[in-house]
Amino acid sequence: MASPTPASPNDGYLLDNARPEAGTRFDALSELFDPSTFRHIEDLGIAPGWRCWEVGAGGPSVVTWLADRVGPTGRVLATDIDTSWASETSGGAVEVLRHDVGRDEPPEGGGFDLVHARLVLVHVTDRERALRTMADSLRPGGWLLVEDADPALQPLICLDEYGPEQALANKLRSGFRTLLASRGADLGYGRKLPRLLREAGLTGVHADAYFPITSPACNILEAATVRHVRDGLVAAGLATDEEIERHLANIASGRLDLSTSPMISAWGRRP
């Protein structure tokens, strides 16, 4: 077989929100990672009246949770490059704004008590600028919480590769990583977050990692992701249609213990 030719880095975000699978992916990601995100934000002391910026929101789950915590005296600014998900979210404490954190100027006002981004910066081309924009938007004493995957840290989707079904799953996961890298994703970004937050001038930096090893939501996420990137995998010679159909059938059978990449959560405070 000829060597794979990944898509051009200029072809845009691989997991764009316009695809029909995007909503399913967001729901599964919320089920998998919202509890960990909410625990971290609770530990930072979120309270009524806080001003929060949810960067690259992608969906409503974190936004609505934040709005409930800050109450009518607080503010939640939710930004994304595609805000089509936000039709039923705006209003009250929530403001939705189309914004590209890697290119656009910081939102007016600033002075946020909390800025949060999950699974955003790993895909942003100018990550340094994006992180600086978020850190500079904090009030003195405000918190930045950044959560990003580190696929290179744990590259397998089946940790226990004991048979051909698991081997096929890991082959397709390797192809998916190749596509992500070809679009400019930094597959080792998560591990850099503690250092990057310190370099941004934040203090009290801490970090941890979390990843499910098996869950029904992992199955839903994997099936939606494979369908989302199917054309790219085939076009790049990273998988055949037959392999993809076989993998989807294996997922549906319930015989696979599917994992995720580690989610690194790092947080620090503006002096």
Side-chain angles (χ1 to χ4, degrees):
M1 182 176 67
S3 299
T5 305
S8 165
N10 298 320
D11 285 346
Y13 178 40
L14 181 63
L15 299 169
D16 64 277
N17 295 356
R19 291 292 300 267
E21 299 87 0
T24 302
R25 294 190 69 258
F26 281 127
D27 289 344
L29 288 168
S30 294
E31 182 174 341
L32 291 167
F33 296 114
D34 278 0
S36 176
T37 293
F38 297 162
R39 173 176 58 84
H40 284 105
I41 297 175
E42 291 277 19
D43 289 346
L44 297 180
I46 189 170
W50 270 32
R51 292 166 49 85
C52 305
W53 178 16
E54 179 67 14
V55 181
S61 65
V62 176
V63 175
T64 54
W65 184 89
L66 289 172
D68 181 64
R69 292 306 187 275
V70 304
T73 61
R75 179 197 180 201
V76 178
L77 174 64
T79 62
D80 203 341
I81 57 174
D82 179 355
T83 59
S84 57
W85 55 268
S87 58
E88 299 180 2
T89 306
S90 300
V94 177
E95 177 188 357
V96 178
L97 177 69
R98 189 190 183 285
H99 181 269
D100 185 338
V101 69
R103 296 181 179 180
D104 297 339
E105 294 299 315
E108 292 185 11
F112 292 104
D113 298 281
L114 169 72
V115 177
H116 172 248
R118 186 175 74 193
L119 294 175
V120 174
L121 296 188
V122 68
H123 299 289
V124 173
T125 302
D126 195 344
R127 299 177 189 91
E128 182 179 354
R129 174 177 176 172
L131 191 61
R132 185 171 63 249
T133 294
M134 293 191 291
D136 290 347
S137 297
L138 294 168
R139 67 163 178 82
W143 290 97
L144 174 61
L145 170 63
V146 181
E147 303 181 288
D148 254 310
D150 195 312
L153 186 62
Q154 192 292 99
L156 302 179
I157 193 167
C158 284
L159 300 179
D160 182 18
E161 189 181 300
Y162 64 88
E165 294 177 341
Q166 292 73 26
L168 176 60
N170 286 334
K171 174 186 175 179
L172 266 63
R173 176 55 43 146
S174 176
F176 175 55
R177 293 199 315 274
T178 298
L179 290 181
L180 283 174
S182 75
R183 302 295 181 96
D186 183 347
L187 303 184
Y189 189 69
R191 73 193 69 179
K192 304 173 186 176
L193 288 174
R195 168 175 58 84
L196 296 175
L197 265 58
R198 288 194 300 270
E199 291 176 353
L202 302 185
T203 61
V205 173
H206 291 77
D208 62 19
Y210 167 74
F211 70 103
I213 293 177
T214 187
S215 161
C218 288
N219 293 358
I220 293 169
L221 177 63
E222 171 66 359
T225 299
V226 168
R227 290 188 174 101
H228 197 138
V229 302
R230 176 179 194 142
D231 292 346
L233 289 171
V234 173
L238 297 166
T240 66
D241 278 314
E242 186 276 331
E243 287 174 323
I244 292 170
E245 285 299 322
R246 183 153 36 98
H247 178 52
L248 291 172
N250 292 341
I251 297 171
S253 75
R255 292 192 298 269
L256 298 178
D257 291 316
L258 298 180
S259 174
T260 68
S261 299
M263 180 75 76
I264 312 294
S265 301
W267 58 96
R269 198 168 200 174
R270 182 172 180 177

